[in-house]
Amino acid sequence: MIISDFENFESKVMNAIINENANISYFLKQQYSIAKIVSREFTGVGFFTEFEISDKSLKLDKSPNLTLGTISAEIKGLNFGMGFVLFVNDGLIATLEGYTYSEPWYGTVENFRIIKE
């Protein structure tokens, strides 16, 4: 399987978000390792990637809804970079949102650097 520049970028973003949450990272890593991408939409100012986790036994305790992400990225071509939010619904990874700060962006990722805020 050929991994695109965007998929490589998205994977690094996901791993950075997962690793910043030590108390739940084990479960999130397990979920992400088996996650299937259901859809990916580029909005012109960011993206939404929807995931499906088939193994419900990997749910976080008490099935919480969480919003995670205190990382951003510097990306070639963007003056202000991007921010990210990972949504966990009913204890399972659901959606990764990437957004610019009022700049157009169409999914091109040549050079980037992940930053913990």
Side-chain angles (χ1 to χ4, degrees):
M1 173 167 80
I2 297 173
I3 297 177
S4 72
D5 289 341
F6 181 82
E7 289 167 325
N8 179 51
F9 167 70
E10 183 177 67
S11 176
K12 290 190 185 306
V13 168
M14 285 293 292
N15 285 309
I17 292 172
I18 288 168
N19 288 328
E20 73 179 357
N21 296 284
N23 58 333
I24 57 173
S25 66
Y26 173 80
F27 290 99
L28 296 179
K29 284 178 187 176
Q30 296 301 313
Q31 289 179 22
Y32 186 54
S33 73
I34 63 164
K36 290 189 176 28
I37 295 174
V38 175
S39 67
R40 183 180 290 127
E41 175 188 0
F42 292 97
T43 64
V45 292
F47 68 93
F48 292 94
T49 300
E50 302 284 332
F51 297 97
E52 178 181 81
I53 312 299
S54 60
D55 186 347
K56 305 302 184 210
S57 70
L58 298 174
K59 274 186 172 185
L60 296 174
D61 288 342
K62 300 179 183 160
S63 303
N65 292 329
L66 303 169
T67 304
L68 306 172
T70 59
I71 65 160
S72 59
E74 292 177 348
I75 299 174
K76 181 180 176 183
L78 290 177
N79 293 319
F80 305 108
M82 291 188 83
F84 306 94
V85 178
L86 177 62
F87 297 94
V88 176
N89 296 338
D90 194 26
L92 297 169
I93 290 173
T95 305
L96 176 64
E97 177 183 3
Y99 54 88
T100 65
Y101 300 96
S102 301
E103 293 181 84
W105 181 77
Y106 300 98
T108 303
V109 184
E110 292 176 11
N111 295 320
F112 66 90
R113 182 170 70 101
I114 303 292
I115 303 165
K116 181 154 174 55
E117 296 176 358

